[in-house]
Amino acid sequence: PRDNNNNKTARFDSFNQFLKYGQTNKHALPICDSEFKFVAELMHETDGWENAVTKNWVTVDCKTISLPDSEFEGNMIRASAHFEGISVEMLMYQSACIAARKKWDKLLKHAQVVHHIDGCDIIYGQVNAPIITTREYCNYRRFLKVSDDRFIVLQRSCNRPDIEELLPDDSTRKNVIRAENYILAFEY
């Protein structure tokens, strides 16, 4: 990828280039502008996506992907929901504002913004998932206002030595497993 911000972030020209760039390398790079472009394309493409669930106001689609030059194969999931009578701003606030989210999200055990870098928040959190061990995450998070009534939020894993020292102490991180987020996108 090409650097576009004094070597602090990279520019990915395509989703395939993003996939080829190795997860460990991306851990050190904040989210860049070009990631919003390929994510928007993925969210609206039709090729290869199969509907997995449609129930009431929620639709979930799945697409199998293979990493270029790798034996890895996995699934991408995208979901959409329609909330009648709720503004885009309120949906985004209830989802992205940690204090608001803690009031309704019963799976969210802990969350906090631990740092800001190159237009991104770095957020740490823990999620109590039913049946399985608590998952912790440390993600870059970046917002893009597309228009007055449309926003995109991207997140992906962050693993930087300078951030590890900002995370909660080990006593609150016992018996957790670090989740790996290749890329998460929320469009409001």
Side-chain angles (χ1 to χ4, degrees):
R2 296 184 308 228
D3 293 336
N4 68 353
N5 190 13
N6 298 326
N7 296 323
K8 294 178 185 174
T9 61
R11 177 176 169 212
F12 300 102
D13 294 319
S14 69
F15 183 56
N16 279 338
Q17 185 184 40
F18 173 82
L19 291 175
K20 286 180 182 179
Y21 195 65
Q23 198 64 1
T24 302
N25 294 327
K26 286 183 288 217
H27 283 164
L29 297 173
I31 295 168
C32 64
D33 293 341
S34 63
E35 290 175 65
F36 286 98
K37 181 181 178 200
F38 70 70
V39 165
E41 291 168 358
L42 287 169
M43 292 171 85
H44 299 285
E45 75 177 3
T46 55
D47 291 344
W49 290 94
E50 293 183 29
N51 180 255
V53 175
T54 299
K55 188 173 182 179
N56 301 326
W57 42 270
V58 177
T59 299
V60 179
D61 299 326
C62 182
K63 179 178 183 175
T64 301
I65 62 166
S66 298
L67 291 180
D69 304 322
S70 170
E71 293 181 18
F72 174 82
E73 186 174 277
N75 290 317
M76 285 196 312
I77 306 293
R78 69 178 179 195
S80 61
H82 179 74
F83 298 96
E84 192 69 38
I86 302 174
S87 71
V88 169
E89 292 84 1
M90 181 56 72
L91 285 172
M92 188 168 145
Y93 173 75
Q94 289 294 328
S95 177
C97 175
I98 292 171
R101 188 171 188 137
K102 284 180 180 180
K103 292 178 182 177
W104 64 265
D105 189 343
K106 302 304 178 205
L107 297 179
L108 188 63
K109 180 178 177 180
H110 174 84
Q112 70 184 81
V113 175
V114 295
H115 193 59
H116 303 279
I117 184 169
D118 295 335
C120 294
D121 295 329
I122 297 178
I123 56 173
Y124 172 81
Q126 294 179 359
V127 178
N128 286 325
I131 304 173
I132 61 174
T133 303
T134 298
R135 298 299 192 245
E136 72 170 356
Y137 58 88
C138 185
N139 288 344
Y140 293 107
R141 178 178 70 174
R142 187 167 177 187
F143 299 87
L144 175 68
K145 182 176 182 178
V146 179
S147 65
D148 284 343
D149 63 348
R150 186 167 166 239
F151 302 87
I152 298 176
V153 181
L154 295 185
Q155 292 186 35
R156 64 175 160 76
S157 287
C158 170
N159 189 359
R160 302 164 55 109
D162 58 330
I163 296 304
E164 289 297 316
E165 65 192 36
L166 300 174
L167 300 183
D169 64 47
D170 288 340
S171 66
T172 62
R173 299 176 67 198
K174 279 186 176 179
N175 302 318
V176 299
I177 296 173
R178 176 71 63 96
E180 182 66 37
N181 293 306
Y182 287 88
I183 194 151
L184 300 169
F186 303 91
E187 183 176 6
Y188 301 93

